[in-house]
């Protein structure tokens, strides 16, 4: 979900001391999410195959509000025909993929090679990306066994569905050959609300204000987990306006 994406990006201030790398990984997180990228399309599995990932010259800024990334090396592309991925500006700054790309490229420079690279232009590896992601997840207190690099792609697909994209459009955007992506979409109807500390457990809002169909479960002493069906409750005033301070949607 976008709240998790935003938390990961905020955490980079505490997990990485390099301003360049903070910009790099924040941009990778955003591009992977909004472009429904597989991590192997953005980061290398081996430095010997650095040409197989998105290159700097694959990126075109159509305006200050749109960017295009053209890729040819992706799963199931037997024809080797390029596919254009359009990234639109998001109003939720500093969580806009286009703004992040503009800022990152202003620091990176225009030297040819992999789009996402270190300051010395060596490519980012999948291992390095996953290591940084694990640090961010740990800092945010999120389950490192539940969230992986593929979660950006899953989250992007669910975000597109929530915006009203059809299954056919999502399948095309994600470059899926099968209907496997529908499994991801079904998962978006379940989310978690973590109530940190004991301050909310005994509130009348919590004890008596929950709508029918909400499932409640206890975990360790200081965390209560509330599971509910987003499809049924997301648009209710209870959810939009009734959550007390300190509640985190994950």
């Amino acid at each position: 979900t976008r709240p998790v994406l935003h938390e990961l990006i905020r955490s980079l201030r505490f997990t990485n001391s390099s301003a360049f790398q903070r910009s790099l990984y924040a941009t990778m997180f955003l591009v992977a999410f909004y472009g429904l990228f597989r991590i192997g399309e953005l980061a290398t599995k081996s430095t010997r195959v650095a040409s197989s990932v998105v290159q700097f010259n694959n990126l075109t800024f159509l305006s200050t509000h749109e960017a295009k990334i053209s890729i040819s090396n992706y799963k199931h592309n037997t024809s080797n025909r390029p596919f254009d991925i359009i990234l639109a500006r998001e109003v939720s700054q500093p969580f806009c993929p286009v703004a992040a790309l503009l800022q990152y490229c202003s620091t990176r420079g225009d030297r040819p090679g992999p789009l996402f690279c270190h300051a010395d232009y060596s490519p980012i590896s999948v291992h390095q990306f996953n290591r940084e992601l694990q640090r961010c997840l740990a800092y945010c207190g999120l389950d490192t066994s539940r969230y992986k690099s593929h979660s950006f792609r899953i989250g992007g697909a669910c975000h597109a569905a929530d915006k009203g994209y059809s299954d056919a459009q999502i399948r095309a955007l994600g470059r899926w050959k099968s209907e496997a992506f529908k499994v991801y979409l079904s998962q978006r109807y379940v989310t978690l609300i973590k109530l940190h500390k004991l301050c909310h457990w005994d509130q009348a809002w919590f004890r008596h204000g929950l709508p029918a169909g909400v499932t409640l479960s206890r975990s360790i002493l200081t965390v209560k987990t509330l599971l509910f069906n987003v499809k049924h409750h997301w648009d209710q005033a209870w959810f939009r306006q009734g959550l007390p301070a300190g509640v985190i949607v994950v």
Side-chain angles (χ1 to χ4, degrees):
T1 65
R2 287 204 301 173
V4 174
L5 174 68
H6 296 176
E7 285 300 309
L8 292 175
I9 292 172
R10 289 190 189 101
S11 74
L12 286 166
R13 292 176 295 170
F14 307 98
T15 63
N16 199 308
S17 61
S18 165
F20 178 84
Q21 289 200 359
R22 290 196 298 271
S23 174
L24 162 69
Y25 286 115
T27 305
M28 292 186 77
F29 290 175
L30 288 163
V31 168
F33 182 92
Y34 287 106
L36 280 65
F37 278 95
R38 298 176 177 90
I39 188 55
E41 296 164 346
L42 302 178
T44 65
K45 295 180 180 179
S46 167
T47 55
R48 295 190 297 272
V49 290
S51 61
S52 65
V53 298
V54 171
Q55 302 291 297
F56 179 78
N57 60 10
N58 295 145
L59 170 67
T60 304
F61 289 104
L62 305 177
S63 69
T64 57
H65 299 283
E66 278 191 330
K68 179 179 74 174
I69 297 178
S70 300
I71 60 172
S72 298
N73 295 312
Y74 60 92
K75 193 175 180 180
H76 306 310
N77 186 20
T78 55
S79 66
N80 205 37
R81 294 179 60 183
F83 183 87
D84 292 340
I85 298 167
I86 304 298
L87 299 171
R89 198 174 189 96
E90 288 285 323
V91 295
S92 55
Q93 295 231 29
F95 309 113
C96 169
V98 180
L101 274 167
L102 284 166
Q103 180 181 354
Y104 165 68
C105 288
S106 69
T107 306
R108 179 201 181 279
D110 58 2
R111 178 172 168 173
L115 173 60
F116 297 111
C117 58
H118 294 285
D120 63 359
Y121 293 102
S122 60
I124 296 295
S125 69
V126 171
H127 172 73
Q128 290 167 335
F129 179 90
N130 286 333
R131 186 176 59 191
E132 188 66 38
L133 175 59
Q134 292 291 304
R135 281 198 289 257
C136 292
L137 289 168
Y139 181 85
C140 294
L142 297 172
D143 187 352
T144 56
S145 66
R146 178 187 175 195
Y147 294 98
K148 303 294 182 182
S149 58
H150 203 63
S151 299
F152 292 102
R153 180 169 163 84
I154 296 171
C158 294
H159 177 63
D162 290 338
K163 289 179 66 176
Y165 283 65
S166 68
D167 286 353
Q169 289 173 313
I170 295 170
R171 179 178 177 177
L173 286 171
R175 307 168 299 287
W176 275 287
K177 187 177 181 180
S178 70
E179 301 295 313
F181 70 94
K182 290 184 178 180
V183 174
Y184 305 143
L185 302 187
S186 65
Q187 294 173 354
R188 80 187 189 277
Y189 294 136
V190 176
T191 191
L192 302 175
I193 286 184
K194 288 186 177 180
L195 304 181
H196 287 273
K197 303 181 181 179
L198 297 175
C199 58
H200 302 304
W201 186 265
D202 294 323
Q203 288 187 3
W205 165 86
F206 191 77
R207 286 181 289 115
H208 306 302
L210 303 184
V214 173
T215 303
L216 186 63
S217 65
R218 284 182 181 269
S219 59
I220 59 175
L221 290 177
T222 60
V223 179
K224 311 301 177 294
T225 302
L226 174 64
L227 304 175
F228 67 100
N229 190 313
V230 178
K231 186 177 182 181
H232 293 159
H233 302 305
W234 186 269
D235 292 327
Q236 291 189 3
W238 166 83
F239 184 79
R240 287 177 300 157
Q241 301 165 6
L243 299 184
V247 174
I248 300 174
V249 179
V250 297

